[in-house]
């Protein structure tokens, strides 16, 4: 029997708590509340993807918010990727796992008004979550050709580096995590934790797009996989938990007219932009299949820049700016390229606005400080390939010509470079309903008793690393506090039978 319901017409339900969204935030909340004995319904707009569509266009079109075309307003437009599926963005994420840096937990405690004063408990919980997800370092055998080149280059420059930790216990290294895992190798939320929540009594209903929030109820539309309406949705509940992600949660609050559009909800959004640099090695084959992303360097983390070997599956090179004969040469030599991404921990840079014409509105403006970091990320990425392992040339992630053979050419290209020339990407929106600004330390939206946020949006600020483990940790803390307020008894996260990793 399935652990979720797929309605084909109207849905009318009642529960003590209704949760909107089934990513890490919604999953940890449903699990915690259901195991505490609380009557919970979880609604997810997307559908289940145990059998992932193999066609990349279909996979992205169905499993990503707005078919993969969710983008900011501003110069440059910045894609903000997010999953739309049972399991949320974990269905399409690269499964990289970072713990929250200790200094960030201290900051968050200050910013939130004391929500994380027991820092030891925070870190212990995070260790339990990693055990639960069976997180482990990517073994060398699963490093892709790009990961191996990334490692060689980082070591040649003397950078601090390592293999990435991932929640992929049975990964076979096909490299297509961002289009959904076809082998079940990735421990996304739909594999173990949502079924466990359902076993504890949570009702999980897919194809339910929530469009309006009111005191004690949510309403919307029941939709099929293509988004076609099948019926009306209404769930009455004493408490509403918003886990629709850092774009979806403020959107719902704003669209429902429950909060001021100039206020803290939707403001303070951080997008953690990534800018990429490719290296070209005509005399050296680079490509070998492996994990989607297996290697990183945090050598420049003190300046809030992290380098991660980029995914090299499929058509990612199509996005790079080559023209004419140069395009012909490069496209024909796809296996001779490397790619790194500089991930920037940005300052508050963006705002979510009410929905317009069915689409999210996200306004992005980089600060001077972030602009400087992005330029530095491009320069260091170029140095990785040119000075680390002597690429013939590099291509900077810029609109227009950006091919450079030497660091002098790189410096000439970067001098005075406006932000609008950069090809940026984001898949880590965070902090758009930040604790301490938009919510209480318990995650309750200020001025809206009974409406709680548990997802990436409630982080007080951004992690500066890939955030899923942090989102799970903070959501678990919010959910435990809610369970206690509702009279439940919180159960341990780790069943006694789970093996501790060696
Ligand atoms: C391509 C990609 C790669 C990533 N790689 C990594 C990585 O390797 N490591 C890492 O740590 N992080 C990664 N992330 C980020 C990480 O997955 C997210 O930070 C995390 O999943 C956020 O959890 P969440 O619960 O806030 O929201 P999400 O996981 O985004 O889930 C929100 C869910 O809510 C649903 N929803 C939204 N609005 C509504 C509505 N109105 N009604 C009903 N349902 C709704 C959505 O369909 C979605 O399923 C990646 C993200 C993406 C998109
Ligand atoms: S690399 Fe392939 S097998 Fe491994 S977790 Fe990702 S999609 Fe699954």
């Amino acid at each position: 029997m399935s652990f979720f319901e797929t309605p084909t017409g109207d849905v009318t339900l009642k529960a003590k708590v209704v949760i909107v969204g089934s990513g890490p935030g919604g999953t940890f909340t449903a699990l915690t509340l259901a195991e505490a004995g609380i009557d919970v319904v979880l609604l997810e707009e997307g559908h289940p993807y145990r059998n992932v569509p193999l066609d990349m266009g279909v996979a992205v079109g169905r499993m990503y918010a707005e078919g993969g075309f969710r983008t900011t307003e501003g110069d440059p437009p910045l894609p903000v990727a997010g999953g739309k599926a049972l399991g949320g963005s974990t269905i399409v994420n690269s499964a990289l796992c970072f713990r929250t840096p200790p200094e960030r937990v201290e900051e968050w405690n200050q910013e939130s008004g004391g929500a994380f004063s027991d820092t030891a408990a925070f870190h212990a919980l995070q260790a339990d979550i990693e055990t639960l997800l069976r997180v482990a370092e990517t073994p060398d055998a699963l490093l892709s050709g790009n990961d191996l080149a990334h490692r060689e280059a980082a070591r040649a420059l003397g950078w601090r580096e390592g293999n990435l930790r991932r929640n992929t216990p049975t990964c076979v290294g096909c490299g297509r995590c961002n289009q959904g895992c076809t082998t079940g190798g990735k421990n996304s939320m739909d594999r173990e934790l949502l079924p466990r929540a359902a076993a504890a009594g949570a009702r999980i209903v897919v194809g339910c797009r929530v469009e309006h929030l009111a005191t004690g109820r949510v309403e919307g539309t029941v939709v099929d996989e293509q988004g076609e309406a099948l019926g009306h949705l209404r769930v009455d509940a004493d408490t509403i938990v918003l886990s629709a992600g850092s774009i979806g949660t403020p959107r719902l609050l704003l669209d429902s007219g429950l909060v001021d559009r100039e206020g803290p909800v939707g403001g303070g959004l951080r997008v953690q932009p990534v800018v990429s640099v490719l290296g070209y090695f005509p005399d050296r084959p680079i490509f070998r299949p492996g994990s989607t992303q297996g290697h990183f360097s945090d050598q420049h983390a003190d300046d809030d820049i992290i380098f991660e070997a980029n995914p090299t599956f499929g058509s990612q090179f199509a996005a790079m700016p080559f023209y004419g004969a140069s395009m012909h040469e490069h496209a024909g030599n796809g296996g001779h390229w490397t790619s790194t991404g500089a991930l920037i921990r940005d300052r508050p840079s963006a705002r979510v606005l009410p929905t317009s014409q069915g689409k999210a509105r996200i306004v992005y403006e980089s600060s001077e400080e972030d602009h400087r970091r992005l330029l530095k990320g491009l320069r260091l990425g170029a140095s990785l390939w040119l000075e680390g392992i002597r690429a013939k040339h590099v291509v900077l992630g810029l609109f227009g010509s950006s091919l450079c053979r030497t660091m002098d050419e790189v410096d000439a290209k970067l001098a005075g470079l406006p932000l609008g020339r950069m090809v940026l990407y984001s898949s880590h929106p965070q902090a758009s309903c930040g604790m301490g600004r938009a919510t209480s330390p318990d995650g309750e939206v200020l001025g809206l008793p009974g409406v709680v946020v548990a997802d990436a949006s409630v982080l007080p600020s951004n992690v500066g690393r890939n955030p899923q483990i942090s989102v799970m940790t903070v959501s678990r803390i919010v959910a435990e506090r809610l369970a206690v307020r509702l009279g439940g008894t919180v159960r341990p996260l780790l069943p006694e039978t789970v093996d501790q990793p060696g």
Side-chain angles (χ1 to χ4, degrees):
M1 208 180 89
S2 179
F3 68 89
F4 55 85
E5 298 164 40
T6 310
T8 53
D10 291 351
V11 169
T12 310
L13 294 169
K14 273 193 175 47
K16 184 94 176 151
V17 178
V18 61
I19 302 168
V20 183
S22 66
T27 300
F28 272 78
T29 307
L31 179 71
T32 307
L33 295 181
E35 291 189 345
I38 293 161
D39 168 34
V40 175
V41 168
L42 182 150
L43 305 173
E44 166 57 53
E45 174 180 3
H47 281 260
Y49 291 103
R50 280 276 168 110
N51 295 314
V52 173
L54 288 178
D55 180 297
M56 197 190 284
V58 175
V60 172
R62 299 222 176 134
M63 301 193 297
Y64 277 77
E66 297 183 19
F69 285 101
R70 193 169 66 185
T71 309
T72 61
E73 298 171 14
D75 189 18
L78 168 64
V80 183
K84 186 184 75 176
L86 184 62
S89 299
T90 66
I91 297 299
V92 292
N93 77 13
S94 297
L96 312 186
C97 294
F98 282 93
R99 296 208 183 164
T100 319
E103 68 276 14
R104 197 74 62 238
V105 183
E106 302 282 352
E107 272 170 38
W108 286 356
N109 189 45
Q110 299 287 325
E111 288 165 353
S112 65
F116 311 109
S117 54
D118 190 347
T119 51
F122 186 102
H123 295 298
L125 171 57
Q126 205 148 69
D128 283 355
I129 288 173
E130 286 202 345
T131 304
L132 191 68
L133 292 177
R134 287 182 284 148
V135 174
E137 188 174 293
T138 306
D140 284 359
L142 282 182
L143 293 181
S144 70
N146 189 45
D147 293 330
L148 289 167
H150 204 265
R151 177 162 81 177
E152 188 184 329
R155 286 183 179 172
L157 294 179
W159 288 7
R160 194 169 54 233
E161 48 78 36
N163 292 3
L164 284 157
R165 291 166 59 73
R166 300 180 305 138
N167 56 317
T168 53
T170 55
C171 173
V172 297
C174 74
R176 57 164 291 160
C177 290
N178 304 136
Q179 289 78 42
C181 180
T182 48
T183 67
K186 174 166 62 171
N187 198 356
S188 45
M189 294 297 100
D190 57 323
R191 302 219 60 95
E192 293 178 358
L193 298 187
L194 283 168
R196 180 172 145 187
R203 280 186 78 173
I204 298 171
V205 194
V206 300
C208 289
R209 184 169 64 215
V210 175
E211 288 153 351
H212 188 75
L213 312 174
T215 308
R217 71 171 194 281
V218 306
E219 289 190 83
T221 307
V222 178
V223 291
D224 67 13
E225 239 182 297
Q226 282 77 39
E228 297 296 327
L230 300 174
H232 181 254
L233 166 73
R234 174 173 174 150
V235 180
D236 291 282
D238 299 342
T239 302
I240 300 171
V241 179
L242 298 176
S243 302
S246 221
I247 308 300
T249 287
R251 229 179 125 176
L252 271 172
L253 286 161
L254 289 159
D255 289 354
S256 305
L258 294 178
V259 293
D260 177 3
R261 60 177 281 164
E262 308 293 332
V265 167
L269 173 68
R270 324 272 186 124
V271 295
Q272 283 192 181
V274 174
V275 68
S276 294
V277 180
L278 279 74
Y280 185 47
F281 299 84
D283 304 323
R284 172 181 170 173
I286 297 292
F287 182 76
R288 118 173 170 174
S291 68
T292 303
Q293 296 183 266
H295 187 263
F296 80 110
S297 167
D298 62 359
Q299 175 71 21
H300 300 279
D302 287 351
D303 199 14
D304 287 334
I305 307 172
I306 301 282
F307 287 87
E308 290 172 359
N310 272 329
T312 51
F313 180 83
S315 60
Q316 69 145 358
F317 295 125
M320 297 310 291
F322 304 126
Y323 302 95
S326 141
M327 177 61 168
H328 187 261
E329 179 193 353
H330 292 132
N333 272 326
H336 291 258
W337 284 91
T338 56
S339 180
T340 188
L343 174 82
I344 310 294
R345 178 171 187 260
D346 55 335
R347 303 307 179 251
S349 58
R351 171 173 280 280
V352 181
L353 296 173
T355 301
S356 168
Q357 299 180 330
K359 309 274 181 224
R361 284 194 66 205
I362 311 162
V363 181
Y364 171 68
E365 273 179 25
S366 155
S367 65
E368 287 283 311
E369 192 58 7
D370 295 340
H371 189 180
R372 177 191 69 73
R373 282 199 182 83
L374 287 162
L375 288 170
K376 183 172 173 183
L378 283 165
R379 189 177 194 285
L380 287 168
S383 159
L384 187 73
W385 301 134
L386 284 173
E387 299 180 318
I389 48 172
R390 305 197 183 292
K392 181 181 176 201
H393 56 244
V394 294
V395 171
L396 308 175
L398 307 179
F399 292 108
S401 164
S402 68
L403 193 149
C404 301
R405 287 170 194 79
T406 64
M407 288 308 290
D408 286 344
E409 287 181 13
V410 171
D411 288 332
K413 282 266 191 291
L414 296 182
L417 186 87
L419 186 78
R421 283 276 313 279
M422 295 184 195
V423 179
L424 304 180
Y425 169 77
S426 160
S427 53
H428 299 166
Q430 293 156 78
S432 56
C433 299
M435 223 183 237
R437 284 181 288 112
T439 81
S440 71
D442 289 340
E444 195 165 62
V445 181
L446 297 179
L448 291 178
V451 181
V452 172
V453 181
D455 61 12
S457 61
V458 83
L459 303 185
S461 69
N462 48 351
V463 189
R465 308 286 190 278
N466 306 58
Q468 66 169 347
I469 296 293
S470 299
V471 176
M472 294 171 200
T473 310
V474 170
S475 300
R476 168 76 180 185
I477 291 170
V478 167
E480 283 181 357
R481 290 177 185 163
L482 177 60
V484 170
R485 288 204 300 283
L486 297 177
T489 305
V490 175
R491 300 282 166 208
L493 196 54
L494 282 186
E496 279 166 17
T497 50
V498 170
D499 293 334
Q500 303 290 324

